[in-house]
Amino acid sequence: MRILFVGDVVGKTGRTAITDHLPGMIRDWSLDLVIVNGENSAGGFGITEAIYQELLDAGADAITLGNHAWNQKEALVFIERAPRLIRPLNFPRHSPGRGSALIDTKNGKRALVINAIGRVFMEPSSNDPFAAIERELEACPLREGADAIVLDFHAEATSEKQGIGFFCDGRVSLVVGTHTHVPTADHQVLSGGTAYMSDAGMTGDYDSVIGMQKEEPLQRFLTGIPSGRFEPAAGVATLSGIAVETDDATGLAVKIAPVRAGGRLEPAVPAFWT
C-alpha cells in the first residue's frame, strides 16, 4: 500500500498547496491512502465543515486534528456527521467525534487511522496516550482488523513521540508526529517494521514562525507583551509530509521518504515511486 501523510495545513496558503499539489501526487504516485492533518486549516486555528469538505475533494481520505480541534466551535457539532474527521483518541471521554476510523482505501483495502495527543509540554486535558492507543490496537490488530494502521501523534516533545514510536513498533504501519510544524530528518523504518518520523512538518508558508506572520511572535518573544492576534503567513506554502510503502502481506513498512513540494523548502519526492 502506498501512503502519504501530509503535515499540519496552516491557513489559506496551506489549503492552496493541498489543492495545487495533492491531486497530481495521487495520480502520479498511485497513492492508496492520503491522510492530512487539518487542525490549523481555518485561519491557523481549527477546521470548519467547508474546509473539511475542501480537503476531501482534493483527495484526502482522512483528516486528523490536534490541540486546536475545537477552536472553530462548529467543529463540536459537524464532527458527528464527518466520519473521516478524527480528533485525538485520548481527549476527555465525553468529547464529540471519534479518535480513530476504519477508512476504505483507494485500492479497496481498509486502513485504521488513529489520532492521539501528547501530554509532555501540552495542555493537561488529555488522558494517557499509551493506554488509549493500546486499547485501540487490541481492538483492531494489524492484518486481522486492518490492512494498514497509521497513527498521527500530535505532541510537543520528541522524546514522547519516539516513545510512542517504539511502543507501536511492529504493530503499526506508520507513526508520524505533528504539532511542531518543523519537518524532522529522522524518518526511518524501526526494527519491528513500523515507519517513523518525529514531525512531518507543516503545509504552510515557511517564511514565518511556525506558519504565523513573524511580527507578533517576535514582539511577544522580545517584550512578553501581546500586541495583536497571530495571523497565518500568506506567502506560497510548502506541502510537507511523509510517504510510506507497506508490505501487503504484513502491513508493515518497507520504504519511507520525506515529501516537500512548492514554497521555500528544498523539494523532496519519494524516489522509489518515480
Side-chain angles (χ1 to χ4, degrees), residues 31 60 64 68-69 80 99 106 127 194 199 210 229 236 242 259:
L31 294 174
T64 53
H68 293 298
E80 296 290 1
K106 302 180 196 306
N127 299 315
T194 292
D199 204 284
I210 61 169
R229 292 170 49 86
V236 178
I242 193 76
V259 173

Side-chain angles (χ1 to χ4, degrees), residues 71-234:
N71 279 66
Q72 304 296 324
K73 297 308 179 187
E74 67 177 87
L76 289 161
V77 177
F78 89 81
I79 194 170
E80 296 290 1
R81 57 176 180 268
R84 292 189 278 172
L85 184 62
I86 306 165
R87 48 84 172 158
L89 179 72
N90 54 321
F91 268 1
R93 59 177 297 198
H94 296 299
S95 298
R98 64 209 55 78
S100 66
L102 270 172
I103 302 295
D104 293 324
T105 67
K106 302 180 196 306
N107 63 340
K109 298 183 182 295
R110 302 201 85 188
L112 177 67
V113 180
I114 305 171
N115 188 196
I117 194 166
R119 295 195 294 184
V120 179
F121 307 132
M122 301 286 283
E123 297 175 3
S125 58
S126 59
N127 299 315
D128 178 6
F130 290 87
I133 292 167
E134 180 65 33
R135 288 191 294 271
E136 199 66 28
L137 297 182
E138 288 179 354
C140 187
L142 185 62
R143 292 306 305 154
E144 295 178 33
D147 299 293
I149 299 177
V150 176
L151 168 62
D152 171 357
F153 189 54
H154 198 79
E156 187 76 37
T158 51
S159 58
E160 191 179 20
K161 292 176 178 181
Q162 289 175 338
I164 287 287
F166 288 117
F167 179 72
C168 294
D169 190 21
R171 302 191 289 168
V172 170
S173 309
L174 168 64
V175 173
V176 58
T178 54
H179 179 65
T180 60
H181 291 202
V182 178
T184 57
D186 62 338
H187 52 281
Q188 60 185 295
V189 178
L190 301 178
S191 59
T194 292
Y196 174 83
M197 187 179 192
S198 289
D199 204 284
M202 69 174 178
T203 297
D205 177 10
Y206 280 82
D207 186 16
S208 68
V209 175
I210 61 169
M212 298 297 155
Q213 294 175 15
K214 298 184 288 272
E215 293 75 15
E216 179 60 21
L218 286 173
Q219 165 74 12
R220 296 190 190 190
F221 284 131
L222 291 168
T223 69
I225 301 171
S227 62
R229 292 170 49 86
F230 287 132
E231 297 288 347

